[in-house]
């Protein structure tokens, strides 16, 4: 990635990669002290960094906005002892993306970042010490299958996916009977793709044998440069967003009418527009004119199929919805419409069971602070190997070693949620944490 940025940046920019952790985090819970310990294998990088920074007018750190990225940014800032160091985020590897990375860089507050990192370490330490309870990761998984989080995905007796037009709270083991079809239809259009959505689609389409393989291919597609133009194909592939920046919507609109016939571009009032707090917008092709057919000769079949999926789903996400689905209601939820987006159903005798999908699992874990998009694929494979989860198609169910903790799922979700709100509190103490999780 560093080499591609260097190629697309102006001559005044020099790019250097940390190759992961050039310093290792060590935390002393008794002193509530976080230290960045230099990796002896990275001495060459640190020497070059110090030298290049001494010549530079600006130093910009571009990492993911997760705890790992925060630690790398904090450790570089601490090493350089330069208060003017800035932070930014990669959107894509084209010239426009690199210009944005530089223009949007802002001076960050290392003290606040250090406080968050220390508090996160203290919370994990106290959670681990707190007796007969699972790891925070397992506790978060257990909470997913409780009624703490509302449901929007359902499965009928034949295994088909159904959705509700708004999230509902219900018992995870409750069968929801549907009444007769109502005199309404549900419009449904895909949202812009997050990493969680795309990996789920790749598994549904059977493009890959595992989520980890799918995410590796996604990273390869991101760093691939076309031979004839040396352009990148897609935007940054590690994101939890279902939205685009305003300028991306404008750019997509310009490209849309060159490749689409018969469809209408989404008007402003139904667009998912990313705010300034979003580091990485949704995944999309940088040039809609580069259709899967045009680039087929340049990509391995696995990368081509993945690019085709991104291209097709992006076109659907930016078009006005056309498809209408039969809508049904339940006596238990009279203000909610249920519809079957895969194959429109005309059955009035269906019963639905609430379920979790791969993408929804990712969103909930991300909201609980235990999963970032960057490691989602491998982490989900590991959870399945450890029998904490079962993944079949798009659906996720509890595994054998998660079952004993399911009854405490709502309690775990509440505790983790409260602890997350305290992560930036400068006065956080071990006693406060113990009170929450006691």
């Amino acid at each position: 990635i560093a080499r591609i940025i260097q190629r697309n940046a102006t001559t005044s920019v020099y790019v250097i990669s940390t190759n992961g952790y050039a310093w290792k985090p060590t935390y002393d819970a008794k002193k509530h002290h976080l230290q960045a310990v230099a990796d002896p294998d990275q001495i060459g990088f640190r020497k070059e960094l110090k030298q290049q920074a001494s010549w530079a007018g600006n130093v910009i750190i571009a990492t993911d906005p997760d705890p790992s990225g925060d630690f790398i940014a904090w450790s570089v800032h601490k090493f350089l002892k330069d208060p003017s160091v800035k932070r930014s985020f990669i959107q894509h590897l084209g010239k426009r993306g690199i210009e944005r990375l530089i223009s949007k860089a802002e001076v960050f507050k290392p003290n606040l970042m250090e406080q968050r990192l220390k508090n996160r370490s203290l919370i994990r330490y106290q959670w681990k010490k707190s007796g007969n309870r699972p790891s925070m990761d397992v506790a978060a998984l257990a909470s997913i299958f409780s009624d703490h989080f509302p449901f929007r995905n359902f499965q009928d007796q034949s295994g088909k996916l159904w959705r509700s037009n708004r999230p509902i709270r219900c018992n995870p083991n409750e069968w929801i009977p549907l009444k007769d079809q109502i005199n309404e239809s549900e419009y449904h259009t895909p949202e812009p793709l997050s990493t969680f959505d795309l990996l789920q689609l790749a598994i549904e389409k059977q493009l890959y044998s595992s989520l980890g393989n799918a995410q590796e291919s996604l990273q390869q597609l991101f760093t691939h440069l076309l031979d004839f133009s040396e352009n990148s194909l897609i935007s940054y592939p590690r994101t939890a967003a279902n939205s685009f920046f305003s300028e991306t919507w404008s750019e997509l609109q310009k490209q849309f009418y060159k490749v689409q016939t018969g469809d209408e571009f989404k008007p402003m009032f139904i667009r998912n527009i990313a705010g300034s707090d979003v580091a990485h917008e949704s995944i999309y092709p940088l040039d809609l004119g580069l259709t899967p057919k045009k680039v087929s000769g340049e990509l391995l079949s696995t990368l081509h199929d993945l690019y085709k999926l991104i291209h097709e789903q992006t076109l659907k996400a930016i078009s006005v919805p056309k498809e209408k689905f039969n809508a049904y209601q339940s006596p238990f939820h009279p203000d909610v419409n249920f519809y079957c987006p895969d194959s429109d159903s005309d059955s009035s005798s269906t019963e639905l069971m609430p379920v979790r999908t791969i993408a929804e699992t990712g969103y909930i874990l991300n909201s609980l602070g235990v999963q970032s998009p960057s490691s989602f694929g491998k982490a989900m494979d590991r959870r399945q190997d450890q029998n904490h989860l079962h993944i079949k198609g798009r659906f996720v169910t509890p595994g054998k070693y998660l079952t004993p903790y399911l009854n405490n799922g709502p309690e775990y979700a509440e505790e983790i949620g409260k602890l997350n709100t305290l992560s930036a509190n400068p006065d956080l103490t071990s006693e406060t944490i113990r009170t929450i999780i006691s």
Side-chain angles (χ1 to χ4, degrees), residues 13 29 54 84 121 124 154 172 201 214 219 223 267 280-281 292 353 366 371 390 416 421:
V13 174
S54 69
S84 66
S121 298
R124 295 287 177 134
F154 307 85
L201 280 169
Q219 182 70 5
T223 56
H280 301 303
E281 60 185 336
M353 172 74 79
N366 185 251
Q371 178 64 71
H390 290 315
I416 296 172
T421 63

Side-chain angles (χ1 to χ4, degrees), residues 377-428:
K378 284 185 178 179
M380 289 295 281
D381 289 346
R382 184 187 70 247
R383 290 164 182 145
Q384 185 164 228
D385 291 342
Q386 293 172 344
N387 215 349
H388 287 128
L389 296 177
H390 290 315
I391 301 173
K392 186 174 181 181
R394 65 178 58 145
F395 298 115
V396 181
T397 54
K400 175 182 176 182
Y401 296 119
L402 187 63
T403 305
Y405 304 107
L406 295 181
N407 288 338
N408 293 326
E411 173 192 332
Y412 294 147
E414 207 165 305
E415 291 171 353
I416 296 172
K418 286 180 180 177
L419 293 171
N420 282 339
T421 63
L422 297 173
S423 60
N425 186 340
D427 301 318
L428 182 64

Side-chain angles (χ1 to χ4, degrees), residues 32 34 70 73-75 77-78 82-83 85 107-119 423-427:
H32 193 40
L34 179 69
D70 283 351
W74 174 76
S75 55
H77 184 279
K78 189 176 177 69
D82 182 351
V85 170
V107 175
F108 65 90
K109 300 173 181 176
N111 293 338
L112 181 61
M113 190 175 291
E114 179 179 353
Q115 191 65 58
R116 284 203 310 265
L117 290 166
K118 285 164 58 177
N119 285 351
S423 60
N425 186 340
D427 301 318

Side-chain angles (χ1 to χ4, degrees), residues 207-208 217 221 233 291-312:
L207 301 184
Y208 301 94
S217 292
L221 184 62
L233 283 168
T291 62
K293 186 176 181 180
K294 285 185 179 179
V295 299
S296 60
E298 287 209 45
L299 296 174
L300 296 172
S301 59
T302 51
L303 296 188
H304 175 265
D305 292 343
L306 190 59
Y307 180 69
K308 183 179 179 183
L309 191 57
I310 295 170
H311 196 277
E312 290 175 351

Side-chain angles (χ1 to χ4, degrees), residues 54-71:
S54 69
W55 298 333
N58 288 287
V59 177
I60 299 173
I61 305 169
T63 66
D64 280 338
D66 58 14
S68 296
D70 283 351
F71 176 78

Side-chain angles (χ1 to χ4, degrees), residues 256-271:
F256 180 79
Y257 294 107
K258 296 178 182 178
V259 297
Q260 276 296 94
T261 56
D263 286 344
E264 186 180 349
F265 196 76
K266 268 188 179 178
M268 186 75 71
F269 67 93
I270 57 172
R271 295 178 189 175

Side-chain angles (χ1 to χ4, degrees), residues 25-281:
T26 60
Y27 176 70
D28 185 333
K30 291 181 180 179
K31 298 178 180 177
H32 193 40
H33 179 69
L34 179 69
Q35 190 174 357
V37 179
D39 181 348
D41 294 333
Q42 291 267 42
I43 190 170
F45 158 76
R46 289 189 294 275
K47 183 177 179 181
E48 184 182 11
L49 173 63
K50 179 73 83 172
Q51 184 180 59
Q52 294 294 338
S54 69
W55 298 333
N58 288 287
V59 177
I60 299 173
I61 305 169
T63 66
D64 280 338
D66 58 14
S68 296
D70 283 351
F71 176 78
I72 291 171
W74 174 76
S75 55
V76 169
H77 184 279
K78 189 176 177 69
F79 174 72
L80 292 178
K81 298 181 176 64
D82 182 351
S84 66
V85 170
K86 297 178 180 179
R87 178 93 177 268
S88 192
F89 304 99
I90 301 168
Q91 281 306 320
H92 59 76
L93 297 180
K95 284 183 167 53
R96 184 168 61 89
I98 307 309
E99 288 169 2
R100 179 185 175 87
L101 184 157
I102 295 169
S103 65
K104 296 290 183 181
E106 295 180 347
V107 175
F108 65 90
K109 300 173 181 176
N111 293 338
L112 181 61
M113 190 175 291
E114 179 179 353
Q115 191 65 58
R116 284 203 310 265
L117 290 166
K118 285 164 58 177
N119 285 351
R120 180 180 169 84
S121 298
L122 180 62
I123 288 168
R124 295 287 177 134
Y125 174 80
Q126 289 297 335
W127 184 282
K128 195 174 181 179
K129 272 188 65 180
S130 61
N132 188 23
R133 62 199 296 121
S135 68
M136 191 174 285
D137 185 78
V138 172
L141 291 177
S143 75
I144 288 173
F145 300 100
S146 73
D147 60 1
H148 180 86
F149 299 101
F151 288 89
R152 194 164 187 172
N153 295 289
F154 307 85
Q155 191 175 26
D156 64 18
Q157 298 97 321
S158 66
K160 289 180 182 175
L161 172 73
W162 287 68
R163 288 201 173 100
S164 57
N165 64 343
R166 62 175 65 94
I168 62 171
R169 292 196 177 276
C170 58
N171 189 308
N173 299 315
E174 172 188 348
W175 281 101
I176 302 172
L178 297 187
K179 292 195 299 188
D180 292 339
Q181 180 180 341
I182 61 175
N183 294 324
E184 289 184 34
S185 296
E186 280 294 328
Y187 283 97
H188 172 68
T189 183
E191 295 179 321
L193 291 167
S194 71
T195 303
F196 308 131
D197 299 313
L198 182 56
L199 296 187
Q200 176 180 308
L201 280 169
I203 293 298
E204 281 181 56
K205 303 285 186 184
Q206 299 182 335
L207 301 184
Y208 301 94
S209 59
S210 73
L211 287 162
N213 289 341
Q215 190 151 21
E216 284 179 15
S217 292
L218 179 59
Q219 182 70 5
Q220 290 172 21
L221 184 62
F222 172 61
T223 56
H224 182 85
L225 295 180
L226 295 174
D227 290 337
F228 61 85
S229 63
E230 293 194 342
N231 286 336
S232 300
L233 283 168
I234 63 168
S235 63
Y236 199 70
R238 305 200 291 251
T239 173
N242 289 119
S243 54
F244 298 129
F245 296 122
S246 295
E247 56 264 41
T248 302
W249 276 107
S250 299
E251 182 62 32
L252 288 171
Q253 187 167 12
K254 292 176 190 174
Q255 300 174 14
F256 180 79
Y257 294 107
K258 296 178 182 178
V259 297
Q260 276 296 94
T261 56
D263 286 344
E264 186 180 349
F265 196 76
K266 268 188 179 178
M268 186 75 71
F269 67 93
I270 57 172
R271 295 178 189 175
N272 300 25
I273 298 177
S276 58
D277 58 325
V278 174
H280 301 303
E281 60 185 336

